[in-house]
């Protein structure tokens, strides 16, 4: 006799959430049968037994579903045993591939043979010299020899020109197994480490944003680790560093340099930026990558992207509250909250400061053509950053006491908070004040500035002129004042590009401030004297650099704008000498113009911004080229190295530009023009003294550059 079915009272009770969702929702008893419980099956059978109304279809199976079982990610209808067998088969296949890699015949050198005969404990771990991922030492290090890519990437070169490398090493299944989680769009780890090393050693702009020691340490982590650098930053580093370690470079018919490797990684960086704009994820890291990419576009001379990224960066930085003291708003409930949490430590605080100031510097430099700035100076409340050495060492130093509201920020430089980078920030912000003065004056003035106007009657002009032309450079500490950043020694020279720019940016700002008021026909014009003197100071700084074997392409890209401004003054001076018939001085100025053109072209060999600025300068020179009697005045055939300025720029007494058979414009002798040192500004245009050439003081003619002339091309 069969046993009776157990009653519901003897059936074990179901645990919480073990019943199906439908029965729990209807509060019905459930037997938890799989794939569909008995209650849901009965209800479904009752439903399908009745014809469906018009336009309605019955479900093809009972609407019964269960909560996922804790610890089991498989679907309920998947047999766990089948899945386990499938995974075991995959593991066996991977083990077979690994065994084939280890037992495959190789051509082994004696050095490798000795390594293979040693035990893993005898093989030293690779040291990280410059940062990057250190590979495991068991079997992979046996394959690295003295001429392997890893050792070649890490070799130090005494030349500024670094060895080009391939973007991808041959695909190796063992490497794919080893670096699980590696972003496939990035170069392999060895190549990426090389570009990171090049970036920190060569880049004059973006490297200021990142904390080098902690960044290199984070590269030692697993790619899946949250502290591993964001892919947007790594793509941006590859983009920037490829300028000094190029590959796949094509020179276009117009002379512009194109690097497909850099363009690929620039596109990847932009994709991360677009994603962050839509979601807000990893916004600070992506903003840092945006800064690196912005400087790349600037060096490429891609002005539309420069302006777009300048506006994007400053707009993003404001909601992040980077413009507040301490880079975080603590002003109570009346102040909008910050998107970022308070800084975690001193390193995080200083990284935010530097990110902010690099954003503002880029905005000021991108606006030199006469555009209003994205953020007004009155809204910049963040204190200046610390020195580079204090930032890298993470020294516990109080925050910099100076910010832009400090009254004497441009004339007082506390030693504990002063280095070449801090002075560069001040010099760029000083240039920004000049741009603000010119733009706001043009917006509110009834007429455009002209040479017939005495600018010293304008409110604030005299104080700004004194600051940019004398006070800032005179106030530099002795160690920076008497050092232009160029050191040439037999054992090897060095170039402090920040300090070099500190010495020429004030002269470029002086030209920008006074250029609309230049009048070469007025011997008492202070603006003319200021501009001519500043142009000669910029030219003298280039002479000093050209006398060494240092690579000028390592300079900050803003140097091309400074050279361009100096050349603009020389073009106007050349036109004046042509009109008064002074061929000797005209030939000298022609040589100086060509020196600046050559500097731009030499810089353009690595960064297209130099070539673009030289082409823009040629557009301004069309008039004097038509007017001059010099033969081939635009000839640029002057070698840069290894001559010195004393031997290179001496005029050949046996030949002049007016002689028959002359094929190259005479080289300049840089004569000391009479009265070239600017005096104190006169109270009125009718008194005082200024630029007074020995001839042509009564010549009438307009020689000032139009105020709407663009500085970028």
């Amino acid at each position: 006799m069969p046993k009776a079915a157990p009653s519901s009272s003897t059936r074990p009770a179901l645990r919480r959430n073990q019943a199906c969702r439908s029965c729990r929702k209807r509060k019905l008893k459930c037997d938890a049968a799989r794939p569909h419980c008995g209650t849901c099956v009965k209800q479904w059978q009752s439903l399908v037994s009745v014809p469906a109304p018009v336009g309605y279809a019955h479900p093809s199976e009972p609407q019964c579903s269960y909560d996922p079982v804790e610890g089991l990610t498989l679907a309920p209808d998947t047999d766990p045993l089948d899945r386990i067998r499938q995974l075991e088969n995959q593991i066996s296949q991977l083990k077979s591939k690994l065994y084939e890699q280890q037992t495959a015949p190789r051509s082994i050198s004696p050095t490798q043979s000795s390594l293979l005969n040693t035990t893993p404990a005898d093989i030293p771990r690779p040291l990280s010299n410059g940062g990057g991922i250190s590979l495991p030492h068991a079997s992979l290090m046996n394959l690295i020899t003295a001429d392997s890519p890893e050792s070649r990437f890490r070799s130090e070169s005494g030349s500024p020109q670094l060895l080009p490398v391939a973007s991808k090493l041959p695909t190796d299944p063992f490497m794919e197994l080893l670096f699980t989680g590696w972003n496939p769009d990035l170069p392999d780890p060895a190549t990426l480490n090389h570009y990171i090393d090049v970036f920190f050693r060569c880049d004059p702009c973006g490297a200021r944003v990142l904390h080098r020691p902690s960044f290199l340490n984070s590269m030692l982590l697993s790619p899946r680790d949250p502290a591993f650098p964001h892919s947007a930053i790594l793509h941006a580093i590859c983009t920037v560093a490829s300028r000094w370690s190029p590959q796949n470079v094509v020179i276009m018919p117009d002379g512009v340099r194109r690097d497909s490797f850099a363009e690929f990684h620039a596109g990847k960086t932009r994709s991360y930026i677009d994603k962050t704009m839509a979601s807000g994820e990893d916004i600070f890291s992506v903003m840092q990558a945006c800064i690196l990419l912005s400087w790349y576009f600037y060096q490429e001379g891609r002005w539309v992207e420069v302006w777009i990224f300048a506006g994007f960066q400053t707009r993003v930085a404001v909601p992040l509250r980077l413009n507040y003291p301490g880079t975080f708003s603590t002003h109570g409930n009346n102040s909008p909250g910050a998107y970022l949490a308070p800084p975690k430590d001193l390193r995080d605080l200083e990284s935010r400061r530097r990110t902010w100031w690099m954003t503002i510097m880029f905005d000021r430099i991108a606006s030199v053509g006469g555009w209003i700035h994205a953020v007004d100076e009155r809204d910049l409340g963040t204190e200046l950053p610390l020195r580079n050495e204090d930032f890298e060492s993470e020294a516990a130093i109080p925050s910099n006491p100076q910010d832009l509201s400090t009254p004497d920020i441009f004339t007082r430089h506390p030693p504990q908070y002063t280095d070449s980078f801090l002075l560069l920030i001040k010099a760029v912000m000083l240039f920004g004040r000049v741009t603000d003065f010119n733009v706001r004056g043009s917006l509110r003035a009834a007429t455009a500035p002209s040479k017939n106007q005495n600018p010293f009657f304008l409110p604030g002009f005299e104080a700004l002129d004194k600051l940019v032309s004398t006070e800032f450079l005179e106030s530099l500490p002795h160690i920076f004042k008497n050092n232009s950043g160029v050191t040439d020694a037999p054992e090897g020279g060095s170039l402090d590009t920040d300090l070099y720019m500190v010495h020429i940016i004030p002269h470029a700002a002086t030209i920008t401030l006074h250029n609309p008021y230049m009048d070469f026909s007025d011997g008492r014009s202070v603006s003319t004297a200021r501009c001519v003197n500043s142009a000669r100071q910029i030219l003298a700084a280039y002479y000093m650099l050209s006398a060494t074997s240092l690579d000028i392409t390592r300079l900050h890209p803003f140097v091309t704008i400074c050279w361009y401004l100096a050349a603009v003054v020389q073009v106007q001076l050349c036109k004046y000498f042509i009109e008064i018939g002074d061929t000797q001085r005209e030939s000298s100025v022609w040589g100086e113009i060509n020196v600046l053109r050559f500097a731009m072209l030499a810089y353009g060999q690595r960064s297209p911004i130099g070539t673009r600025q030289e082409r823009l300068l040629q557009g301004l020179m069309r008039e004097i080229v038509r007017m001059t009697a010099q033969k081939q005045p635009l000839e640029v055939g002057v070698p840069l190295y290894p001559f010195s300025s004393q031997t290179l720029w001496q005029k050949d007494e046996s030949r002049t530009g007016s002689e028959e058979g002359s094929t190259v414009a005479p080289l300049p002798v840089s004569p000391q023009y009479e009265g070239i040192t600017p005096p104190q500004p006169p109270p009125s245009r009718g008194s005082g003294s200024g630029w007074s050439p020995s001839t042509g003081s009564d010549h009438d003619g307009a020689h000032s550059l139009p105020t709407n002339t663009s500085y970028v091309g």
Side-chain angles (χ1 to χ4, degrees), residues 152-163 197 201 554:
R152 177 165 59 88
F153 295 152
R154 289 302 171 200
S155 62
E156 293 291 337
S157 173
S159 170
Q161 178 68 32
L162 299 177
L163 294 175
D197 182 50
R201 288 198 294 119
R554 297 280 293 275

Side-chain angles (χ1 to χ4, degrees), residues 319-384:
L320 298 184
R321 282 299 183 257
L322 299 183
N323 62 321
Y324 274 72
T327 68
F328 186 75
S329 173
T330 57
H331 293 182
N333 296 329
N334 294 330
S335 177
Y339 192 91
L340 294 178
K344 297 177 295 185
D345 48 32
L346 293 178
R347 183 206 306 165
D348 188 21
L349 171 61
E350 186 63 15
S351 296
R352 296 188 186 187
R353 285 197 193 113
R354 287 173 170 261
T355 300
W356 167 253
W357 281 110
M358 287 299 293
T359 299
I360 296 303
M361 284 178 59
F362 187 80
D363 173 63
R364 265 47 184 178
I365 290 177
S367 304
V368 297
W371 294 278
I372 200 69
H373 298 142
V375 180
D376 191 272
E377 184 176 305
R378 294 168 294 184
D379 299 325
L380 307 181
T382 309
E383 60 276 357
L384 292 177

Side-chain angles (χ1 to χ4, degrees), residues 487-494 549:
T487 303
D488 190 25
E491 60 274 8
S494 64
S549 59

Side-chain angles (χ1 to χ4, degrees), residues 376-599:
D376 191 272
E377 184 176 305
R378 294 168 294 184
D379 299 325
L380 307 181
T382 309
E383 60 276 357
L384 292 177
L386 302 177
R387 298 180 301 178
N388 284 326
E389 58 180 295
D390 297 329
F391 175 47
E392 291 202 352
S393 64
E394 300 186 56
I397 295 179
S399 298
N400 196 320
Q402 290 188 320
D403 57 39
L404 286 184
S405 64
T406 306
D408 54 355
I409 183 175
F410 295 110
T411 56
R412 188 176 67 87
H413 315 286
Q416 190 180 7
Y417 300 98
T418 300
D419 64 0
S420 56
F421 177 63
L422 269 297
L423 293 176
L424 176 63
I425 293 178
K426 293 182 178 182
V428 171
M429 297 307 297
L430 186 58
F431 199 114
R433 283 196 176 182
V434 172
T435 304
D436 277 340
F437 183 88
N438 288 347
V439 172
R440 289 171 178 165
S442 300
L443 290 175
R444 294 171 174 80
T447 58
S450 69
K451 63 169 187 168
N452 298 319
Q453 181 180 5
N454 186 355
F456 289 93
F457 288 148
L458 299 176
F461 184 92
E462 183 173 352
L464 185 58
D465 166 70
K466 186 182 299 183
L467 188 60
V468 298
S469 61
T470 56
E471 289 183 346
F472 176 73
L473 289 176
E474 290 296 327
S475 67
L476 295 180
H478 180 77
I479 189 175
F480 300 107
K481 183 178 180 180
N482 298 324
N483 180 9
S484 63
V486 179
T487 303
D488 190 25
E491 60 274 8
S494 64
L495 175 62
D496 186 343
T497 182
D498 289 347
L499 187 56
Y500 185 88
M501 296 302 299
V502 167
H503 282 272
I504 67 173
I505 287 178
H507 297 298
T510 300
I511 295 174
T512 304
L513 181 64
H514 284 276
N515 184 78
Y517 311 102
M518 280 199 305
D519 184 5
F520 289 97
S521 64
D522 184 358
R524 296 173 297 180
S525 173
V526 177
S527 292
T528 304
R530 290 273 199 266
C531 290
V532 174
N533 180 69
S534 294
R536 297 210 175 281
Q537 293 297 329
I538 294 175
L539 193 60
Y542 175 71
Y543 287 159
M544 180 184 302
L545 181 58
S546 66
T548 69
S549 59
L550 299 174
D551 186 0
I552 68 169
T553 62
R554 297 280 293 275
L555 289 172
H556 195 286
F558 189 48
V559 72
T560 58
I561 304 298
C562 298
W563 289 337
Y564 173 81
L565 292 172
V568 166
V569 175
Q570 297 299 89
V571 168
Q572 297 172 82
L573 183 61
C574 184
K575 178 183 177 183
Y576 173 73
F577 287 145
I578 292 174
E579 291 178 343
I580 65 175
D582 192 336
T583 57
Q584 182 178 3
R585 291 187 176 183
E586 178 200 346
S587 66
S588 177
V589 175
W590 267 116
E592 293 176 339
I593 293 173
N594 284 335
V595 167
L596 294 170
R597 289 182 56 230
F598 183 85

Side-chain angles (χ1 to χ4, degrees), residues 671-687:
Q672 296 296 325
Y673 288 93
E674 302 174 26
I676 209 65
T677 302
Q680 293 297 321
S684 65
R685 194 171 181 84
S687 62

Side-chain angles (χ1 to χ4, degrees), residues 63-97:
Q63 302 299 299
C64 181
S65 61
Y66 292 86
D67 291 339
V69 180
E70 184 178 357
L72 183 64
T73 59
L74 303 177
D77 56 345
T78 302
D79 188 357
L81 296 178
D82 293 340
R83 182 59 177 165
I84 291 174
R85 283 191 292 268
Q86 182 182 1
L87 293 175
E88 288 177 345
N89 292 334
Q90 292 181 0
I91 293 174
S92 299
Q93 294 176 3
L94 293 176
K95 287 182 177 180
S96 300
K97 290 183 179 181

Side-chain angles (χ1 to χ4, degrees), residues 214-215 217-219 221-230:
S214 63
F215 186 87
N217 288 334
S218 65
M219 287 297 299
L221 302 174
S222 167
R224 296 185 182 276
D225 194 295
F228 191 77
H230 196 282

